[in-house]
Amino acid sequence: MSIRTPLAHVRGLGTAKDGTHHWWLQRVTSIVLVPLVLWFIISMLSVSHADYETFKNWLGNPIRAGLMVALLAAVFYHASLGMQVIYEDYVRPEWAKYAALLITQVVLFLLGAISIVAVLKIALA
């Protein structure tokens, strides 16, 4: 038994089958962010009074650099998912929603890429 109307069935309309995946991705990224943010806060407190060379040596550790890159990737991806939901729910007309989505995703991608490159530059220098 289908919950779609006969007209929706003919037109191929109905569930987009994407909402659950999007919802799960938001939950997974938020769960991943909890330990990463705790690690980040504790780590930043431990090197808060360090000079640049000490911080560079600290970030030069492959595990720490990897955790920092994972944190940045998760933060920017989670932000993108969250903003998409906000735009889809509250922005009208349709063209404004798509423009806001496009602009936000491009800006978040660029900021994420710049942040990751900066971490890798410091870590590998």
Side-chain angles (χ1 to χ4, degrees):
M1 175 159 190
S2 175
I3 61 171
R4 296 190 315 179
T5 65
L7 181 59
H9 183 72
V10 170
R11 289 184 179 168
L13 302 175
T15 176
K17 296 182 177 107
D18 192 44
T20 305
H21 180 70
H22 189 97
W23 185 86
W24 271 109
L25 285 175
Q26 276 191 298
R27 281 12 177 222
V28 168
T29 56
S30 65
I31 290 168
V32 166
L33 281 170
V34 170
L36 286 173
V37 168
L38 290 174
W39 167 81
F40 179 75
I41 291 169
I42 292 167
S43 297
M44 290 301 104
L45 289 174
S46 71
V47 293
S48 63
H49 297 294
D51 61 350
Y52 179 72
E53 285 300 317
T54 306
F55 180 77
K56 193 169 119 178
N57 289 335
W58 177 86
L59 193 57
N61 180 309
I63 293 173
R64 291 182 190 126
L67 288 171
M68 190 70 74
V69 168
L71 172 71
L72 290 168
V75 162
F76 284 106
Y77 187 60
H78 184 76
S80 175
L81 291 170
M83 293 307 297
Q84 180 178 348
V85 170
I86 290 169
Y87 294 149
E88 288 173 350
D89 289 346
Y90 299 110
V91 176
R92 299 286 180 256
E94 289 294 311
W95 67 266
K97 174 175 37 176
Y98 292 123
L101 269 170
L102 179 65
I103 291 168
T104 301
Q105 288 184 351
V106 167
V107 167
L108 288 174
F109 176 78
L110 288 174
L111 289 173
I114 290 167
S115 301
I116 290 170
V117 167
V119 166
L120 293 176
K121 184 176 178 183
I122 293 170
L124 300 174

